[in-house]
Amino acid sequence: MSCAGLNDGWIDVSANGDSSPFTYTLFENSNLLEEKNNGLFDNLPAGIYEVLIEDIFTCTYNIPNIQLTEPDELIISDINFEPSTYCLNNGTITAEVSGGCTSNYTFSLFQ
């Protein structure tokens, strides 16, 4: 997951052997989400998934508990403003920030 709340997670599994073609089925909470002939499932939200692989002879292999997690939401927990001393333009604004998609935050101030 690139950011909290986005549905851009993915699962990519593959099978090989003499019993192809394979069918790949994706489940979440025992609910069938998608069935396809390749093991790439994308545009997924955070959650716990299961992939069932079935070969041409209907033999199956189950991959349970595939967990897609997302980063914490961006949280601004404290903002402090210290006004400038008359005519010195030395005021400050500080903010405590955590979470989000990166630890490299960019701040912009607009008048």
Side-chain angles (χ1 to χ4, degrees):
M1 298 288 164
S2 63
C3 283
L6 293 183
N7 295 345
D8 63 354
W10 52 270
I11 297 170
D12 191 6
V13 297
S14 63
N16 56 41
D18 296 333
S19 57
S20 63
F22 299 98
T23 301
Y24 300 84
T25 307
L26 180 67
F27 296 89
E28 183 182 27
N29 298 323
S30 300
N31 295 316
L32 173 78
L33 295 180
E34 188 175 2
E35 184 175 283
K36 55 198 314 187
N37 61 3
N38 68 65
L40 178 60
F41 301 95
D42 55 5
N43 300 314
L44 299 173
I48 299 174
Y49 297 90
E50 176 180 346
V51 174
L52 181 71
I53 303 170
E54 185 175 339
D55 69 11
I56 196 168
F57 303 112
T58 66
C59 296
T60 59
Y61 181 76
N62 187 43
I63 306 170
N65 298 318
I66 302 168
Q67 187 166 4
L68 298 182
T69 58
E70 62 188 4
D72 294 333
E73 276 189 59
L74 180 65
I75 297 172
I76 301 172
S77 57
D78 195 16
I79 297 177
N80 292 309
F81 171 67
E82 294 292 328
S84 65
T85 306
Y86 182 72
C87 295
L88 294 180
N89 295 326
N90 62 352
T92 61
I93 297 174
T94 57
E96 247 180 74
V97 180
S98 63
C101 306
T102 179
S103 60
N104 299 319
Y105 303 107
T106 301
F107 298 92
S108 299
L109 182 62
F110 299 97
Q111 186 172 352

